Amino acid sequence: MASSNSPSFFQDLKMRELNGFRVRKRPHLGDLASDPGSFGSGVLSIEHNGVVNPPMAASFCKSSKNYHLLAVSDEDGYVSIYDTHRKLPSLTSCRENADEARVCDWVAHSNAIFDVRWVKDDSLIMTASGDQSIKIWDVEKRSCVNVLTGHTGSVKSLCSHPSNLDLLVSGSRDGCFALWDLRCKPNSKCRRLEPSLSPIHMVKGAHVSAQGKRVRRGKASSMSITSVLYLKDEISIASAGAVDSVLKFWDTRNFKAPITQAQPHPEPSTEKERRLHGISSLTQDSNGLFLSASCMDNRIYLYNVLQLDKGPVQTFFGSRIESFYVKAAISPDATHILSGSSDGNAYIWQVKNPQARPIILNGHEGEITAVDWSPDVGKIVTSSDDFTVRVWNIQQAYYSSTRSPTSIRRRVTAIPSMECRNLFKEESPMCSTKTVRGPSEEALIGNTSHDQISMPEISTPESLKKKFSSSSFSNEEPEMEKTPEAALKSPSSVLNPPSSLKRRTIRDYFVAAS
């Protein structure tokens, strides 16, 4: 564990930047090479005091100045911060050099940490644990600034509001997802005298199936929430569970019932399709236009949030998803999907060319669980039950020289005067795709649709952008006392905004699935 007398990792990074370290400009991941040898990888052994621990979650920083920082949580409740700019050890030396790339670590929970997220310009980290709590950490001081309590099961997933980072949503094994406002006044103190906060709203039994009554009482897998997302319209929440492959979408101003739902097979025609398969993870690209759902039927489904009634727009085959620890992630620019697998490999598909064989990254010796993309697209991370995390560097030779789609990305915001038909004009592809040469096994391909996704450029008129920028939820602290009860009536509360904030959500742009 890092010494209390050691300099903060931000100070350490500043010193090394003065000695020549600079954050690279964001590259674009173009046509990928299928040879795993084309990817340089460093291996991080997850251990503390000589004891190895299986990593549970991994997350790169989201601000450009800190893209190279990686947070990893493990089964023993540690959070470790690694600097991927440093020379990472090889497999043969990862145990001996376990501390070389680690900037700091600390004990965050007394139980496994299932999710870790950077927030507030990477000055804070959120952790979700099997001890049924969420903690907010000051990274530089490595001190807990808030404890969120209210769940009665392991907290499995976290996601912060797209613009108001005081708001976040969590999903738990107790079958509930909860909404939190960090501006609220703490209502009690924990045993360690840390401030404790209660949720401002909790939805119970969000994913209990119709067969739930036949399942043994108390069996958490019959109702567990495995993943939650705060969508980019800043009002809607997506949730998924362990009981089936149904994605539910909620309006945070009215939680009485989901506004719509989506699933791979709305009208199952075969016995295999009728079987219930849970979702292990949900992710969205930086625009929020696409959602990926990693399903226990060994498929990853890609949805367009504005066309949910049409079901998944693409399906990806090849990885084996045999536990809820196996996750997938769509790249920030929505061009690739990365997934772990129970067979010890990681898989990367092209979104626009799902029928092509995926790139296979091998090297781990156990089930690959959590994965993440660095926002600069130049790095990816895979974590495994072999007690290691691998950081894969995609060589500059494989970066496209064409203009990156990220340079013309536009945020998906639901504007009242915007018509759905205007969002989907025919456009030429924003970058070229090429069939990836990969393994010959036909089992890695499966039968997929050859339809190509139309990737629309979504722009917001400047006048409307100015009009609604003032209507976004303010990060400023209200003057009133922010108790949980007051938060429900506060103009800043997402649950009851004033009429000036009554905006359309994704609900207004698609027909609810029957």
Side-chain angles (χ1 to χ4, degrees), residues 256-273:
K256 290 183 180 180
I259 55 177
T260 192
Q261 63 183 37
Q263 54 188 319
H265 311 289
E267 297 179 0
S269 57
T270 66
E271 186 62 32
K272 186 176 182 180
E273 290 178 354

Side-chain angles (χ1 to χ4, degrees), residues 118-327:
W118 297 84
V119 289
K120 295 286 182 87
D121 292 326
D122 303 324
S123 63
L124 300 179
I125 278 182
M126 303 188 298
T127 54
S129 174
D131 64 11
Q132 304 179 4
S133 72
I134 301 162
K135 291 187 178 182
I136 314 296
W137 296 90
D138 183 310
V139 182
E140 187 167 359
K141 297 178 181 178
R142 296 162 231 170
S143 61
C144 181
V145 299
N146 225 326
V147 180
L148 282 53
T149 58
H151 283 297
T152 57
S154 300
V155 186
K156 305 291 286 186
S157 178
L158 292 171
C159 188
S160 58
H161 188 277
S163 62
N164 186 347
L165 300 182
D166 285 313
L167 298 174
L168 64 127
V169 61
S170 62
S172 169
R173 204 162 184 256
D174 60 11
C176 306
F177 71 84
L179 200 65
W180 312 80
D181 189 336
L182 302 182
R183 299 164 298 186
C184 293
K185 182 178 179 181
N187 57 356
S188 62
K189 293 284 185 178
C190 295
R191 285 176 294 179
R192 296 184 181 181
L193 301 180
E194 296 163 335
S196 178
L197 197 64
S198 296
I200 58 176
H201 194 83
M202 182 172 285
V203 176
K204 299 181 179 180
H207 283 268
V208 177
S209 73
Q211 300 177 357
K213 296 180 181 179
R214 290 179 248 166
V215 180
R216 185 173 75 250
R217 180 177 294 181
K219 187 176 180 181
S221 62
S222 66
M223 59 180 180
S224 177
I225 304 294
T226 56
S227 191
V228 288
L229 291 176
Y230 229 129
L231 301 189
K232 301 299 182 179
D233 65 355
E234 304 185 355
I235 294 174
S236 305
I237 287 174
S239 64
V243 66
D244 55 30
S245 55
V246 175
L247 279 60
K248 295 186 178 180
F249 297 83
W250 310 77
D251 188 329
T252 54
R253 299 165 299 186
N254 184 354
F255 282 111
K256 290 183 180 180
I259 55 177
T260 192
Q261 63 183 37
Q263 54 188 319
H265 311 289
E267 297 179 0
S269 57
T270 66
E271 186 62 32
K272 186 176 182 180
E273 290 178 354
R274 291 190 184 96
R275 291 178 55 193
L276 299 179
H277 300 280
I279 297 291
S280 65
S281 66
L282 294 177
T283 63
Q284 57 186 328
D285 65 292
S286 57
N287 289 330
L289 181 61
F290 293 105
L291 298 185
S292 70
S294 181
C295 188
M296 295 288 287
D297 64 358
N298 296 324
R299 292 172 173 84
I300 298 170
Y301 298 101
L302 186 69
Y303 293 88
N304 184 319
V305 297
L306 303 182
Q307 298 176 328
L308 292 173
D309 57 308
K310 296 183 178 180
V313 294
Q314 296 288 22
T315 303
F316 302 88
F317 300 81
S319 62
R320 287 166 48 192
I321 306 172
E322 298 175 358
S323 81
F324 286 103
Y325 296 105
V326 176
K327 314 290 185 183

Side-chain angles (χ1 to χ4, degrees), residues 463-492:
S463 59
L464 289 174
K465 187 182 298 184
K466 294 178 181 179
K467 176 181 179 181
F468 287 95
S469 62
S470 61
S471 301
S472 59
F473 297 108
S474 173
N475 285 325
E476 297 181 2
E477 197 162 337
E479 296 181 359
M480 65 177 67
E481 186 182 42
K482 298 176 289 298
T483 63
E485 293 79 12
L488 292 174
K489 300 177 181 179
S490 169
S492 63

Side-chain angles (χ1 to χ4, degrees), residues 54-56 280 296 298 319-327 339-347 361 363-371 382-390:
M56 305 298 290
S280 65
M296 295 288 287
N298 296 324
S319 62
R320 287 166 48 192
I321 306 172
E322 298 175 358
S323 81
F324 286 103
Y325 296 105
V326 176
K327 314 290 185 183
S339 176
S341 179
S342 299
D343 63 9
N345 297 321
Y347 295 82
L361 303 179
H364 283 292
E365 298 178 355
E367 181 178 74
I368 295 182
T369 53
V371 297
T382 57
S383 60
S384 172
D385 284 348
D386 63 6
F387 310 111
T388 67
V389 166
R390 281 180 178 259

Side-chain angles (χ1 to χ4, degrees), residues 29-48:
L29 177 59
D31 299 328
L32 291 171
S34 60
D35 178 10
S38 301
F39 297 82
S41 69
V43 185
L44 304 172
S45 177
I46 308 303
E47 61 176 283
H48 307 278

